[in-house]
Amino acid sequence: MTTTAVETADKPARISKEDRVALAAIDVATALPGKWTVGRGRNRDQVADVVCLATGVSVGFQPVPGPGAWCYQLVPGDLPRELDDVFLWHRRDPFPVVRFAVGAPAAEVATHIHQRLIPAFHQWLDRAQTARRERLQAQTRQYKAQREIADQLESAFPQAPEPARIYCLRGDRMSITLTMSVDDALARIPALAQALRSDTTTPSTSTETQETT
């Protein structure tokens, strides 16, 4: 038993892929321009991250899983919380990620981070912010239009048995359903009465559609 214990103690400790990636982060932080610090990573998939002390920009080091895959990915972040639910552009504009082999020169990795990865990340954030702002503006326009239409219909048809139902379709198109008696519809909406009497099947090009039941 004594001999076995000695032989085990003499064996060098095995360095895992995760250890190698964490050590690479230290070398990369040293090679980056400016002052950078090394941390333990922002999520459980990262073994380390480097953070710029001047700007707060961080880049995570994430080992690529799988046997024989001695590689790691650089993942910039953090992603602003308000952008967590903005994925309309995500599939056609992938999150900037780059892969390096374990053992790649630290200067090469640092150059890529400084000259390509971080600028690409900022462009990605700008496009994400623009997409989010445009979506909020479209939602505001739709809500305002719904309220204006609902108010006008409420005053125009005070005797309607049910309030108008307004549905948002694709883009800025809306569908409006009015429930009233046929006599009321004929008296109040001559244009609709004419449409109901005709047999034309020409589709309407108006952005607002009125249906009567």
Side-chain angles (χ1 to χ4, degrees), residues 86-117:
V86 184
F87 290 105
L88 298 178
W89 30 260
H90 185 69
R91 293 180 180 177
R92 65 177 178 267
D93 188 14
F95 191 76
V97 176
V98 66
R99 180 176 296 190
F100 281 94
V102 173
E108 176 185 343
V109 179
T111 298
H112 187 94
I113 291 175
H114 179 65
Q115 295 184 356
R116 299 185 60 184
L117 183 62

Side-chain angles (χ1 to χ4, degrees), residues 49-109:
D49 68 334
V50 294
V51 182
C52 179
L53 297 179
T55 63
V57 172
S58 66
V59 178
F61 286 67
Q62 179 177 310
V64 176
W70 282 73
C71 301
Y72 61 90
Q73 294 182 151
L74 298 177
V75 183
D78 294 332
L79 182 67
R81 184 176 297 275
E82 66 270 14
L83 296 180
D84 284 346
D85 62 340
V86 184
F87 290 105
L88 298 178
W89 30 260
H90 185 69
R91 293 180 180 177
R92 65 177 178 267
D93 188 14
F95 191 76
V97 176
V98 66
R99 180 176 296 190
F100 281 94
V102 173
E108 176 185 343
V109 179

Side-chain angles (χ1 to χ4, degrees):
M1 293 181 66
T2 304
T3 303
T4 303
V6 172
E7 290 176 354
T8 302
D10 290 341
K11 286 185 177 181
R14 181 180 178 182
I15 299 179
S16 66
K17 175 172 54 180
E18 288 73 14
D19 296 332
R20 293 279 183 88
V21 175
L23 291 173
I26 299 175
D27 295 333
V28 171
T30 303
L32 281 165
K35 295 182 179 180
W36 293 72
T37 183
V38 181
R40 295 184 178 181
R42 300 299 177 97
N43 58 54
R44 63 181 181 179
D45 296 329
Q46 298 176 7
V47 298
D49 68 334
V50 294
V51 182
C52 179
L53 297 179
T55 63
V57 172
S58 66
V59 178
F61 286 67
Q62 179 177 310
V64 176
W70 282 73
C71 301
Y72 61 90
Q73 294 182 151
L74 298 177
V75 183
D78 294 332
L79 182 67
R81 184 176 297 275
E82 66 270 14
L83 296 180
D84 284 346
D85 62 340
V86 184
F87 290 105
L88 298 178
W89 30 260
H90 185 69
R91 293 180 180 177
R92 65 177 178 267
D93 188 14
F95 191 76
V97 176
V98 66
R99 180 176 296 190
F100 281 94
V102 173
E108 176 185 343
V109 179
T111 298
H112 187 94
I113 291 175
H114 179 65
Q115 295 184 356
R116 299 185 60 184
L117 183 62
I118 293 177
F121 181 58
H122 285 308
Q123 292 177 2
W124 186 87
L125 286 179
D126 290 342
R127 286 193 291 268
Q129 294 282 10
T130 300
R132 179 176 183 270
R133 183 168 55 252
E134 291 176 350
R135 189 180 70 173
L136 292 177
Q137 290 174 350
Q139 291 174 345
T140 301
R141 287 196 306 269
Q142 286 184 346
Y143 178 77
K144 183 179 179 181
Q146 280 184 322
R147 293 309 313 158
E148 290 180 355
I149 294 171
D151 291 343
Q152 292 179 20
L153 291 175
E154 185 177 348
S155 61
F157 303 99
Q159 304 300 323
E162 296 181 15
R165 294 191 298 271
I166 303 174
Y167 305 94
C168 287
L169 305 178
R170 281 190 172 184
D172 291 331
R173 296 176 63 84
M174 292 184 179
S175 174
I176 303 171
T177 299
L178 296 174
T179 302
M180 68 188 76
S181 66
V182 174
D183 291 339
D184 194 19
L186 294 176
R188 293 178 178 273
I189 316 178
L192 179 58
Q194 181 179 358
L196 290 173
R197 292 192 187 102
S198 66
D199 295 330
T200 180
T201 58
T202 304
S204 174
T205 58
S206 173
T207 58
E208 297 174 3
T209 303
Q210 293 187 346
E211 303 170 0
T212 304
T213 59

